[in-house]
């Protein structure tokens, strides 16, 4: 599996977890998972833009 694909999946999972925790009235955890989803998304973008070897 490509690294960028794995990072994108992690970002989606963190985003869904953030939404679920927000609806469960746990704003601190929702914010932390939202932050991690953003970081995964930026990492995915950086990998795809670098054009390096992606196994």
């Amino acid at each position: 599996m490509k690294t960028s694909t794995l990072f994108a999946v992690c970002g989606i999972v963190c985003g869904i977890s953030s939404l679920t925790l927000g609806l469960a009235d746990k704003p601190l955890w929702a914010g932390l998972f939202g932050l991690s989803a953003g970081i995964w998304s930026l990492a995915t973008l950086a990998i795809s833009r670098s054009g390096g070897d992606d196994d």
Side-chain angles (χ1 to χ4, degrees), residues 15-44:
I16 291 171
S17 298
S18 174
L19 175 68
T20 304
L21 287 167
L23 293 174
D25 205 22
K26 300 196 183 292
L28 176 66
W29 290 105
L32 290 175
F33 272 94
L35 180 65
S36 65
I39 291 170
W40 282 114
S41 298
L42 290 175
T44 304

Side-chain angles (χ1 to χ4, degrees), residues 1 3 5-8 10 13-14 19 21 23-24 26 28 32 34 36 38 41-42 52-54:
M1 181 181 283
T3 306
T5 305
L6 182 65
F7 279 16
C10 289
V13 169
C14 286
L19 175 68
L21 287 167
L23 293 174
K26 300 196 183 292
L28 176 66
L32 290 175
S36 65
S41 298
L42 290 175
D53 291 336
D54 197 8

